[in-house]
Amino acid sequence: MTEADLIRAVQRGDERAFTEMFNTYKLPVYYFILRRIRNETDAEDLVMETFERAFASIKYFVPLVKLSTWLHEIAKNRIIDFVREKKRIPQLSEYDLTFADTRTPERICIYNQEFEIIQEGIRTLRNDTHRKVMAMYCEGWKMREIASELIMPMGTVQTYIHRSKNKLKQLVA
């Protein structure tokens, strides 16, 4: 069966074609992901997520590129999302775990002071757009989401965030 025949069969909902596609491409996709994240368990999960997304959107696939290229592109996007999510979840060091429950009044006071400085720094940013961008960024919005919400180019959002971070670093330092 050629790749084009396989794609058409999967698009029609043929389960055997689906299984053949999965069996043919799972190892290349797995090794592609594993080289980037270096964790076998996470790589296996991302392979499954990649194929779930591929099968959900296979009806829109137009064979202008090879199927393997398309699958690797989906895998790359899943890796990016995975890494972003991992960055959002703070990784505790051994030191943090040792002192996690020692919330002294001094530490709480320092945290509150730093938080106030950052909030004040955001309020003193150059214009309303800068303030909105940084507020959204601090709330955990992705740059793509901010750009879409504020109807501005992604590069502009990145520039605003970069400049604003530098200004806030100067205030805190």
Side-chain angles (χ1 to χ4, degrees):
M1 180 180 285
T2 67
E3 186 174 284
D5 294 335
L6 180 65
I7 293 167
R8 281 192 291 277
V10 173
Q11 288 175 329
R12 284 192 309 267
D14 184 346
E15 288 187 29
R16 281 183 279 158
F18 169 90
T19 303
E20 183 179 336
M21 181 178 144
F22 178 75
N23 289 334
T24 302
Y25 295 103
K26 73 178 175 188
L27 280 177
V29 170
Y30 171 76
Y31 288 119
F32 174 80
I33 293 171
L34 185 62
R35 278 192 309 269
R36 281 147 185 86
I37 62 168
R38 298 169 196 226
N39 181 309
E40 291 177 5
T41 306
D42 290 337
E44 290 169 1
D45 291 343
L46 289 174
V47 167
M48 296 310 292
E49 291 175 22
T50 297
F51 279 95
E52 286 172 7
R53 290 198 180 188
F55 295 131
S57 59
I58 190 76
K59 58 187 169 198
Y60 304 110
F61 177 73
V62 180
L64 297 174
V65 296
K66 287 180 152 186
L67 183 59
S68 60
T69 304
W70 184 65
L71 289 169
H72 281 81
E73 188 65 25
I74 294 171
K76 181 186 79 166
N77 290 333
R78 285 301 310 129
I79 292 167
I80 291 168
D81 291 343
F82 175 79
V83 170
R84 278 189 188 143
E85 298 229 353
K86 214 167 187 179
K87 283 183 180 177
R88 282 189 189 166
I89 301 169
Q91 302 297 320
L92 296 178
S93 67
E94 190 175 313
Y95 176 83
D96 292 332
L97 292 173
T98 305
F99 295 101
D101 291 330
T102 57
R103 295 186 185 134
T104 64
E106 179 183 334
R107 285 189 181 166
I108 293 170
C109 184
I110 290 170
Y111 171 80
N112 288 338
Q113 287 173 346
E114 289 173 348
F115 182 77
E116 287 175 19
I117 290 170
I118 290 172
Q119 291 298 317
E120 183 58 35
I122 290 174
R123 283 191 288 275
T124 63
L125 291 174
R126 189 163 33 133
N127 63 36
D128 188 46
T129 307
H130 279 83
R131 286 190 294 278
K132 283 182 186 174
V133 168
M134 278 312 289
M136 294 165 103
Y137 181 75
C138 289
E139 289 175 7
W141 288 46
K142 295 178 183 173
M143 287 188 202
R144 185 179 317 121
E145 296 169 334
I146 296 169
S148 175
E149 180 72 21
L150 298 178
I151 310 168
M152 63 175 48
M154 181 88 122
T156 305
V157 170
Q158 291 171 333
T159 301
Y160 282 179
I161 290 172
H162 178 73
R163 288 179 183 165
S164 300
K165 277 181 170 180
N166 286 339
K167 185 172 183 179
L168 292 173
K169 282 179 188 175
Q170 291 172 356
L171 288 173
V172 174

